[in-house]
Amino acid sequence: MSHPIFPDPEGCGFYVQVPFCTERCDYCSIAVSARPDRAAPYIRALGREVERTRKHAEALSPSTFYIGGGTPTSLPLPQLEEILSLLPIPPGFQPEMTLEARPETLSDTLLERIEKKGVTRLSVGIEAFSLEQMRFLGRKAEATDPVGILNRIRSGFSGRVSMDFIVGGDGYDPDLFRKNAGRLYDAGLDHLSVYPLALELRTVLKLKETRGELDGLLEDTTAHQWRRATEDLRLMGWHHYEVSNFAHDPDLICFHNVLVWKGGNYIGIGAGAHQKIGNVRTNNVRSIISYEQALEKDRDPFDEKEELSETALWMEYMYTNARLSYGIPFEHIIPYVGERGFSSYIATMLRSGWIDQVSLDKGRLRFTFEGWLWLDELVGRLVSLRHD
């Protein structure tokens, strides 16, 4: 069973981690280096890992590429072009290729050159609209006009443009968010991602929380602010296709992320990158130096490698697909939980308004917006019905 917006995954995704940035933000838990000038040995290691994964790439035919970070565009342009040249793209094939960036790194020359290298989608981390929120998040850059940034990008880049925003924290203004999101919709921004502020381990904000330096109600306040923000976006006309992701139109979704959420195969290279091929999942070491040393010695840079059971694969599929507005086909649920358990679950969910009746009539389980607010708990109830 397929769908015009969310087709069954074909080919595979290919992810490249570029763990360099101009600074470490206070909310960021990714292992990054603030020394883009020392990227040369890392790029050599990437080249070695590309060769180690080439057989998988040739067998699985990557259909999407995603170069993330860190901030890949913080690298000197020749090094960024070198990374793009490493990608195993068959001649004559134009995949969706996403490159992450920050607005202050986007020069006219860079925009022109990345498009020539095959980048079709730029994902720009704006994060905040106010200077106060930028400083709370640990960003040194000035707050900028997002529509102005979009227009500047469009003057030198013809591909799709996405922007990322964080809801919550000191200086977050819901009215300012709504105003700018509306302006971006009217200006034709293709896609935006909106994430609630999370206090993750190994971050400055988490350390401040443990010291009692943050508002004790920060996460509760953020949850309410995120709900209002997403409701505002839906009312503006943004297509809410995944819990935190919105497209201007249904055909402007991020196909790489959808492929991963729908359980497709994906190759991941770089320090801290994840990979899943069939039922085998691997995580690379987070340390940039350890990653480089492993590949210099012609070893896999894995920190973890596990063979997933059928149950583990199914549970992962349930949690990721529940995040999508398309829903989950009954045939991927009932064989695992049984007719009786599923019917009881459906009845409870309908009474609470957490699932969509129209989708049920079409043989799919789709959570409503209200259901998405409690998603982990609701999916947890469903997978607990699993019987072997």
Side-chain angles (χ1 to χ4, degrees):
M1 179 179 291
S2 189
H3 186 276
I5 297 178
F6 298 113
D8 294 330
E10 297 178 1
C12 76
F14 196 105
Y15 178 82
V16 183
Q17 177 75 353
V18 182
F20 295 94
C21 206
T22 55
E23 62 185 348
R24 170 175 284 283
C25 299
D26 291 357
Y27 64 88
C28 180
S29 63
I30 298 170
V32 298
S33 168
R35 292 286 306 277
D37 59 298
R38 69 158 310 278
Y42 184 79
I43 295 172
R44 288 195 294 271
L46 284 180
R48 294 185 179 107
E49 194 177 11
V50 168
E51 290 306 311
R52 295 182 73 85
T53 61
R54 190 168 295 279
K55 288 184 179 179
H56 285 314
E58 291 174 351
L60 297 172
S61 302
S63 56
T64 64
F65 290 81
Y66 197 108
I67 302 90
T71 305
T73 54
S74 68
L75 296 180
L77 185 50
Q79 290 187 324
L80 178 59
E81 290 180 305
E82 185 179 355
I83 291 173
L84 295 175
S85 297
L86 293 173
L87 303 179
I89 303 173
F93 177 60
Q94 178 61 73
E96 177 192 76
M97 186 189 298
T98 301
L99 177 68
E100 289 188 351
R102 284 170 61 157
E104 64 269 24
T105 66
L106 296 175
S107 67
D108 293 341
T109 301
L110 183 143
L111 292 170
E112 178 185 356
R113 301 249 296 258
I114 61 172
E115 185 160 3
K116 288 181 178 179
K117 281 292 185 179
V119 174
T120 63
R121 188 173 178 276
L122 200 58
S123 180
V124 186
I126 305 292
E127 314 308 356
F129 293 121
S130 74
L131 182 60
E132 184 181 357
Q133 191 191 9
M134 290 280 277
R135 295 297 179 263
F136 177 83
L137 296 173
R139 284 228 168 163
K140 296 176 182 177
E142 297 299 310
T144 52
D145 172 28
V147 174
I149 293 170
L150 176 62
N151 290 336
R152 182 164 63 82
I153 292 171
R154 287 265 168 81
S155 69
F157 179 74
S158 65
R160 296 175 178 178
V161 181
S162 178
M163 291 183 174
D164 291 358
F165 301 97
I166 293 175
V167 169
D170 293 353
Y172 173 76
D173 182 340
D175 294 328
L176 182 61
F177 177 89
R178 182 175 64 252
K179 174 185 175 181
N180 280 316
R183 292 176 62 224
L184 287 168
Y185 184 84
D186 292 341
L189 178 67
D190 300 298
H191 185 281
L192 57 79
S193 302
V194 182
Y195 302 104
L197 177 66
L199 304 179
E200 299 188 25
L201 296 175
R202 295 191 288 256
T203 67
V204 172
L205 286 181
K206 188 64 176 178
L207 178 61
K208 288 183 176 180
E209 181 195 37
T210 61
R211 291 174 174 172
E213 298 173 8
L214 298 182
D215 181 353
L217 297 176
L218 176 61
E219 291 189 316
D220 289 340
T221 301
T222 294
H224 291 296
Q225 291 170 331
W226 181 83
R227 176 174 179 168
R228 175 179 170 181
T230 52
E231 287 175 335
D232 286 343
L233 291 170
R234 292 158 65 92
L235 290 172
M236 289 172 201
W238 287 98
H239 173 57
H240 194 182
Y241 73 96
E242 192 270 345
V243 172
S244 296
N245 285 273
F246 300 76
H248 196 284
D249 299 301
D251 61 346
L252 297 175
I253 63 176
C254 177
F255 288 97
H256 176 87
N257 286 343
V258 169
L259 184 152
V260 173
W261 288 321
K262 286 182 67 64
N265 294 308
Y266 54 93
I267 295 168
I269 69 168
H274 296 187
Q275 175 173 274
K276 184 179 79 68
I277 298 175
N279 70 328
V280 177
R281 178 163 54 211
T282 58
N283 301 333
N284 282 354
V285 292
R286 286 169 53 92
S287 164
I288 294 172
I289 293 175
S290 297
Y291 171 79
E292 293 169 354
Q293 290 174 343
L295 285 153
E296 189 175 349
K297 296 175 181 177
D298 198 27
R299 297 201 309 256
D300 285 321
F302 301 155
D303 184 43
E304 289 183 275
K305 181 177 182 179
E306 60 178 330
E307 196 168 307
L308 300 172
S309 66
E310 181 183 352
T311 297
L313 283 170
W314 175 75
M315 290 176 64
E316 185 174 285
Y317 175 90
M318 294 298 295
Y319 276 102
T320 57
N321 278 259
R323 297 180 63 88
L324 296 168
S325 64
Y326 175 43
I328 308 171
F330 287 177
E331 60 262 33
H332 293 170
I333 305 173
I334 294 175
Y336 296 90
V337 304
E339 290 273 6
R340 180 177 298 179
F342 187 54
S343 296
S344 176
Y345 178 83
I346 291 295
T348 300
M349 296 296 106
L350 277 174
R351 284 195 300 271
S352 301
W354 289 331
I355 57 175
D356 176 59
Q357 177 66 66
V358 174
S359 296
L360 290 179
D361 296 338
K362 297 178 180 178
R364 310 188 74 85
L365 172 66
R366 185 177 75 82
F367 292 92
T368 62
F369 177 67
E370 291 296 325
W372 269 349
L373 299 175
W374 304 95
L375 192 61
D376 285 349
E377 178 183 339
L378 301 185
V379 178
R381 293 186 198 179
L382 181 59
V383 300
S384 71
L385 300 174
R386 160 82 187 197
H387 60 80
D388 294 307

